Amino acid sequence: MRAYKLTFAALAVTAGLSLTACQSDVDGKGPSSPSPASTGSSASPSGGVPGSGGSANRSGGKGAGGKGTTAGTGSGTTGKVARCRTDELEITAKDGTIDGDPDGTVTVRLKNRGGRDCAISGYAGVDLKTDSGSLSAKRTGEHANPAVLKNGASTAFGINYPLNKSGGSGVRVTGLLVTPPNETKTVALAWPGAATLPVTDGTGTPVKVGPVGNAGQGG
């Protein structure tokens, strides 16, 4: 019985070797060596950082520690858009006060007339011209969302001010000065709100301005 088992095992080994030799002869390549991929420990299929799907390579990066492209410049972005210039904007102002509001509101609208899309965000500079001098509006502190203003499209912001209910003459408003965000050129407009502001004590300003994109009440 022992001799029979050894003979059977020998025949099995011989048959296996013969089958391997036959396969090598058929494909003409001989016994193959392990593929290079089987020797790596953590390389991703596309050669990028493991788990990233090779996105660094597709976006022009040079791997970890290399000088890749700046974030936000890959596919799916629209690229940089130049900011809106004062001369490209048609700026108008109207009374936006709603009956029953405790304060008055003026809505300033900015329309893109530049023939191209432009970027705009932040707060405009606002000054009221009065018979007692210039009065600068204070920012409300609301978050300003950046936006691309399409050619021919409009955005707006609100100016909030106290109504003169004192019965006195108050401070007479004679004009409105608006400087778009990140610009230095100012546009002079007629003041469409209430004719006067109440006289206030102290050095603070009672006039508030919201960020572009938030027209306030009545806007």
Side-chain angles (χ1 to χ4, degrees):
M1 181 63 71
R2 179 181 179 85
Y4 176 76
K5 290 183 178 180
L6 292 174
T7 301
F8 182 78
L11 288 173
V13 171
T14 303
L17 292 174
S18 299
L19 180 60
T20 303
C22 290
Q23 290 177 342
S24 300
D25 291 341
V26 171
D27 59 24
K29 297 181 180 179
S32 60
S33 59
S35 63
S38 67
T39 62
S41 59
S42 60
S44 63
S46 57
V49 178
S52 68
S55 59
N57 286 347
R58 290 198 299 271
S59 64
K62 297 183 180 180
K67 296 180 179 179
T69 57
T70 303
T73 59
S75 60
T77 61
T78 56
K80 290 184 178 180
V81 179
R83 73 173 182 268
C84 299
R85 301 285 187 177
T86 302
D87 291 337
E88 297 174 321
L89 297 172
E90 178 184 325
I91 303 176
T92 56
K94 70 173 185 177
D95 183 15
T97 305
I98 299 175
D99 290 342
D101 283 351
D103 296 321
T105 300
V106 165
T107 301
V108 178
R109 188 162 299 277
L110 304 93
K111 186 171 185 178
N112 183 3
R113 291 288 196 181
R116 64 175 180 87
D117 298 349
C118 60
I120 190 167
S121 66
Y123 286 78
V126 171
D127 292 279
L128 272 61
K129 296 170 63 178
T130 76
D131 56 1
S132 299
S134 181
L135 181 63
S136 297
K138 182 180 180 180
R139 297 178 178 182
T140 60
E142 298 172 79
H143 178 69
N145 293 312
V148 173
L149 190 60
K150 298 291 186 180
N151 182 42
S154 298
T155 188
F157 64 88
I159 302 171
N160 185 262
Y161 64 94
L163 296 172
N164 184 13
K165 301 177 181 179
S166 65
S169 59
V171 178
R172 184 170 184 80
V173 183
T174 59
L176 173 63
L177 301 177
V178 175
T179 308
N182 303 307
E183 282 291 285
T184 57
K185 187 173 182 178
T186 299
V187 174
L189 303 171
W191 173 251
T196 62
L197 302 176
V199 178
T200 57
D201 297 330
T203 57
T205 174
V207 182
K208 311 290 185 185
V209 56
V212 171
N214 185 354
Q217 297 192 28

